Amino acid sequence: MTTANPTPAELLAQRNEIDRQISIANLEGLKAIQAALKSGKVATLATDLEALLTQLAPSGEMGSPHSQATNVITAVRNVSNFFDGEVARVQAIVDAQTAPTS
């Protein structure tokens, strides 16, 4: 029910419902990005770069390239972890909504 002057709680509930619907609408795209991050060279990029770090001077010894490579490793892992978590979160919403009720 919509009122002329909704309360903050009512507005938050509406926003939460819209956010839930947007999340569900994004699920296939999230899964596609997750799959792309797990395929090809991207799947091993962080590990491959990490193995090469020993060829660079450490960050504390004028090692800007070491620092930048470490930043890439961290970014790749964080992005992959983000999409894994987001897919799991949204899939749980979908599963809960389609679960049979007793």
Side-chain angles (χ1 to χ4, degrees), residues 20 25 28 31 69 83-84 99:
R20 186 187 71 74
E28 292 310 310
K31 286 180 177 180
F83 280 98
D84 289 346

Side-chain angles (χ1 to χ4, degrees), residues 46-78:
T47 302
D48 293 347
L49 289 177
E50 200 167 48
L52 299 172
L53 284 178
T54 59
Q55 298 177 31
L56 300 173
S59 298
E61 299 172 11
M62 301 285 290
S64 290
H66 185 283
S67 181
Q68 290 302 311
T70 301
N71 290 343
V72 171
I73 291 164
T74 300
V76 168
R77 287 191 175 139
N78 286 345

Side-chain angles (χ1 to χ4, degrees), residues 20 24 90-102:
R20 186 187 71 74
I24 292 169
V90 177
Q91 189 63 58
I93 293 170
V94 170
D95 293 347
Q97 146 180 322
T98 58
T101 55
S102 305

